[in-house]
Amino acid sequence: MGPLLALTSAVLYGIVDFTGGLLSRRAHFAAVTFLGQIGGLLLATAAALLLPVGPVRPVDLLWGALSGVGSGAAMHFLNRGLSHGAMSVVVPVSAVTGVALSVVCGVMLGDRPTAVAWLGIVLSVPALWMVCGGGKDDGGGVPDGLLASAGIALQYIALAQADASSGLWPVAAGRVAAVLVLLPMAARHPRRLRLPPVRAVQAVLVGAGAALALILYLLAAQRQLLAVAVVLASLYPALPVILGLALLHERLSPRQVMGLLGAGIATVLLSLG
């Protein structure tokens, strides 16, 4: 069940990145990010209320809040990069570096992946890079990707430290923290938040989708090693490439085909490991 939850999280993250990237080119990325976190807060709070849990420890809420700081930063820099057309740079850098940081931290915290899982982890990093074309720096993509990757790693690692008895409240606490982190920037430029109703609703839905993906990741991390859950959930870059092929009539390069094949093999190895 753990691998399936993590892969479903990856699918949702892929859809969120694709739709959020398109939306950030039609509206200001800061508005898309802030309204998205509002949508995530609404969905996470509703889900937490529906899931019965035992006593919620303050420390678990703190871990969730720290995860939310990472989420807010990651989405801010990711959407900023996507807004100026740097998807081939921002996505692979954020995904690959975020995976590497998370796996290293997971091992330091006590994870002991099997040899088969290690093979899948090692294979996934170049596969993710090739899926996104191994993008070259265009004068701004790499810094955005690196900053987003740090947020992604913090999001995954901190949330996995929350005890399962707290249910989904750590995710909800994280959305509150993400909103608070982004609020000062939104307050300084209130005009950026004035989107047409359709665009505002789209931004809220994108954020709700990201929160749902994070919930699925949390459930996956509670059922398997952190390193494995992170890598499986981070296979999301494959989906924007496939959606671009199907919906935007883009073409796959030989490198991207090899990356998709490698990602598929890595998924099987991680599931078996």
Side-chain angles (χ1 to χ4, degrees):
M1 179 61 72
L4 179 60
L5 289 169
L7 287 173
T8 305
S9 173
V11 169
L12 279 174
Y13 267 128
I15 294 173
V16 165
D17 276 357
F18 181 78
T19 55
L22 292 179
L23 187 58
S24 293
R25 296 173 185 176
R26 299 168 183 169
H28 198 280
F29 74 90
V32 174
T33 303
F34 184 74
L35 293 177
Q37 294 304 325
I38 296 293
L41 174 59
L42 294 175
L43 184 138
T45 302
L49 289 170
L50 291 174
L51 182 66
V53 294
V56 180
R57 302 184 307 168
V59 66
D60 294 324
L61 296 180
L62 289 175
W63 280 120
L66 185 60
S67 173
V69 172
S71 297
M75 292 308 298
H76 172 82
F77 292 112
L78 188 63
N79 284 336
R80 188 173 76 175
L82 295 176
S83 69
H84 54 74
M87 183 174 290
S88 64
V89 174
V90 180
V91 173
V93 170
S94 65
V96 176
T97 312
V99 166
L101 289 172
S102 300
V103 169
V104 169
C105 291
V107 172
M108 292 175 62
L109 290 171
D111 273 2
R112 294 295 179 266
T114 65
V116 173
W118 267 120
L119 183 58
I121 290 169
V122 171
L123 180 60
S124 69
V125 174
L128 289 174
W129 184 264
M130 289 189 291
V131 160
C132 296
K136 300 178 181 179
D137 188 11
D138 61 356
V142 168
D144 276 336
L146 289 174
L147 290 169
S149 72
I152 289 170
L154 179 60
Q155 166 188 271
Y156 282 149
I157 294 165
L159 188 60
Q161 307 312 307
D163 192 89
S165 63
S166 295
L168 301 180
W169 285 110
V171 180
R175 298 319 92 204
V176 173
V179 170
L180 293 177
V181 165
L182 297 170
L183 185 59
M185 182 177 296
R188 284 198 302 268
H189 305 283
R191 291 185 178 180
R192 293 176 178 175
L193 301 181
R194 297 173 186 172
L195 301 182
V198 172
R199 298 285 185 234
V201 171
Q202 289 172 339
V204 169
L205 291 176
V206 166
L212 180 56
L214 193 58
I215 288 172
L216 293 174
Y217 159 76
L218 174 61
L219 297 176
Q222 293 170 350
R223 290 165 171 79
Q224 61 189 1
L225 294 179
L226 170 62
V228 174
V230 167
V231 173
L232 286 174
S234 297
L235 292 173
Y236 64 86
L239 191 57
V241 173
I242 295 172
L243 290 174
L245 177 67
L247 302 179
L248 302 180
H249 308 292
E250 297 176 350
R251 293 184 178 182
L252 289 178
S253 68
R255 180 179 293 180
Q256 287 174 309
V257 173
M258 291 178 61
L260 286 172
L261 179 61
I265 296 173
T267 300
V268 173
L269 291 174
L270 288 165
S271 300
L272 293 175

